Amino acid sequence: MHIRGALSYWLEQLDEVTPLWVLTGLAAGADTWVAEVALEMKQQPGGQRIRVKGCLPMPLAHYRQDFDQLGYAPDAVVRLDSLVETLQQQGEEMLVVPSHLSDEQQTFAYSDSHYGDERNTLYLNQSLFVAKYANVLLALWDGQPARGSGGTADAVAYKLGLPPVWPLGEANPALEPVSQFDGQMGGVVHQLPLTRVGGEPVITPEFCALKVEGLTGEAPAFGHLWISQHDNGMGEGSCSEFLSAELSRLLMDLNQYNALPVPEVANPYPAAGLAQTQPIFLRADGIALERQSRYRRTVQRFFISALLVLALYEIVSNFLDGDMGAWIFAGMLGGLLYCAVLVKQAARNELKWKYQLARGIAEGMRIRGFLNLSAVPPKAAPLIPRRFRQHLPLLNHAIAIAELDWWRAPTAFVAEATRASWIQDQRNFLSARLSQEGVGKLKWSERFYKRPLYAAEVCQKWAKSLFNGSIVFALALFMVVVLQYVLGNPVFADSKDYLMLGLQYALMAAGAIALWSELAGYETTAEGYRSMDQLYQRADGLLSGEMNPAKEAMLTELAREAMFEHVTWHNAEAENDLKQKQQP
């Protein structure tokens, strides 16, 4: 009953589209119970969104021997086999979690009937994997220390930010805990207290309780939510406060993103290094492209309408006493109302925010895919800079989803594959954005969106020319005024109104172009592209040969630089996003 209540609680936090992944090691006892309840709920109304993913510490044939040898209930093996068969029939995933042991150590661990350090390492490896990639760790736990490596206590401690003790003394680099400064990613433990047969009473762990603000309803009816083992309180800025807000924001963004309709993309461009998560990437990429197109059309319409209103404003004073003035006023009013409608529609449809969110998901998965391709394991430090993390938890989640493909099928490093599919691919993209070749073949609007360096130069040229033109009009107007009022010569006096209009329109157009260029960030974007191209060029020259720690660090830093470039753009864009401005 408690397991069902806990799963139902988290299912309620998600919308009617977002799936609930249940990662389980299928171990005898708690893991088996959770998997059986989840599969039963999956067959009931509203449970179709549940996905059960088996995460084994070793191949099933070797895993089964522990069910025979460790004194489990007689039906433990039968229940394991039944679960595996059901998962396979339903198309659910069965993942054998790769370890960092050598082939020789791993072979010994598989055949070890005495449950030694090597075999314990495989269990701890599996336990920490589940804890790392579960946003909420559901722990059926008595609060007691683990009786062996890889027990529930180890997973709970790891999830709450404490470093595990590896049996052989050497940690799996892909499962290094995040620093205390960060807290574990999504470090939430939902404990269902229990007492082992013949065990001691439940000991409540001294963890920080999770604040439930932002979650649907009150705290879960069954169990307790724990968030951190590093804080002594829930003060402002604490790790617990940070992780609580992060979880709430993640659930909100996840639900809103998954509710977006899936657009049809004529020629989807898959990301390198992604396998099972490729459909998730393609969906995000398609949403980003569709929302981007709609947002850009809205911005163009608003800017053109605003310019027309300004143009009419400049001449309306000349027609105040005639019918033409009334028509001009009507045109100005219509243009202003149209601009207001565009702003309201953009805010209501959240075009920019949805575009930014989908683009961030796609780019995060693409960059992690490049690391998968290059055989670079996950790292403790996140790819997204810390100061952006709480505002972009869904991007971290997307990166973690893409990391799963590395665990599913770790590949050997091949320099040429990395160079062709990552380094050269990105350099070709950046070169195209910085090049001015073939600009004439693009649509006029695409020249500005796909060629930021060209756009910056064109805007600078036109703004400068128009400003200089306004100076010419001003000098001409000055000469006419001098001739008329100082020298008493009425020559060209009738041209004053036209010169004044020329001066006004030239200044207005110069200012508008300069403002557009500044808001669009053409120069900043071009400079960012140029800087990234230099990094890729340097990486290209250092890539040859076998993988070593230096190359691994270089590629990881390259991925972080690419993510930093994107989230910096994302953060700058969010500052003038209508959705963000509407939030308290």
Side-chain angles (χ1 to χ4, degrees), residues 491-506:
V491 178
F492 304 120
D494 295 338
S495 64
K496 285 190 301 181
D497 291 340
Y498 298 103
L499 291 173
M500 189 62 189
L501 285 175
L503 172 60
Q504 290 174 317
Y505 280 126

Side-chain angles (χ1 to χ4, degrees), residues 421-438:
S421 297
W422 181 3
I423 308 300
Q424 287 298 334
D425 180 75
Q426 292 300 290
R427 290 203 67 192
N428 291 339
F429 170 81
L430 295 171
S431 296
R433 290 296 190 263
L434 295 171
S435 174
Q436 299 202 24
E437 295 182 5

Side-chain angles (χ1 to χ4, degrees), residues 196-423:
R196 295 177 185 268
V197 176
E200 298 293 331
V202 173
I203 299 176
T204 302
E206 295 183 358
F207 303 145
C208 291
L210 169 66
K211 291 183 177 180
V212 296
E213 287 87 344
L215 303 181
T216 300
E218 300 297 327
F222 307 105
H224 311 290
L225 297 182
W226 308 112
I227 194 79
S228 174
Q229 201 164 3
H230 292 311
D231 294 343
N232 293 322
M234 294 294 289
E236 183 179 357
S238 69
C239 187
S240 301
E241 188 81 10
F242 176 88
L243 291 171
S244 299
E246 183 180 53
L247 177 65
S248 297
R249 178 65 183 266
L250 172 62
L251 292 172
M252 179 183 69
D253 288 355
L254 186 63
N255 287 332
Q256 292 193 20
Y257 169 76
N258 282 328
L260 297 177
V262 182
E264 293 185 5
V265 180
N267 296 302
Y269 187 73
L274 299 180
Q276 291 192 34
T277 58
Q278 191 73 251
I280 300 175
F281 164 79
L282 291 175
R283 180 182 188 275
D285 199 43
I287 291 174
L289 291 173
E290 190 266 342
R291 297 285 167 169
Q292 178 191 58
S293 178
R294 290 175 58 185
Y295 173 69
R296 286 176 174 174
R297 289 197 300 268
T298 300
V299 171
Q300 290 171 3
R301 291 167 184 167
F302 176 86
F303 204 78
I304 292 172
S305 299
L307 280 178
L308 289 175
V309 171
L310 284 173
L312 293 175
Y313 173 77
E314 293 295 337
I315 63 172
V316 70
S317 60
N318 297 328
F319 301 94
L320 291 177
D321 298 328
D323 293 341
M324 182 62 70
W327 286 107
I328 293 176
F329 270 118
M332 289 174 58
L333 179 60
L336 289 172
L337 291 175
Y338 183 62
C339 288
V341 169
L342 289 176
V343 170
K344 289 292 184 182
Q345 287 181 340
R348 183 174 63 254
N349 297 328
E350 299 176 344
L351 294 179
K352 186 175 185 180
W353 177 77
K354 291 172 182 176
Y355 154 51
Q356 289 175 294
L357 189 66
R359 175 51 60 212
I361 293 171
E363 290 304 314
M365 295 189 70
R366 189 199 309 275
I367 290 169
R368 181 58 237 184
F370 288 145
L371 291 175
N372 294 347
L373 176 74
S374 306
V376 176
K379 303 294 182 182
L383 292 179
I384 295 177
R386 289 180 173 92
R387 62 184 178 274
F388 297 119
R389 175 178 156 187
Q390 192 172 40
H391 303 294
L392 304 170
L394 190 54
L395 271 62
N396 264 326
H397 180 70
I399 292 171
I401 293 295
E403 279 182 3
L404 293 178
D405 276 336
W406 179 89
W407 289 94
R408 289 179 175 111
T411 58
F413 172 71
V414 179
E416 287 308 314
T418 298
R419 177 177 286 112
S421 297
W422 181 3
I423 308 300

Side-chain angles (χ1 to χ4, degrees), residues 114-129:
H114 300 289
Y115 215 69
D117 287 343
E118 287 81 1
R119 197 171 182 89
N120 272 322
T121 296
L122 296 183
Y123 277 101
L124 182 60
N125 190 70
Q126 170 224 35
S127 182
L128 300 189
F129 170 84

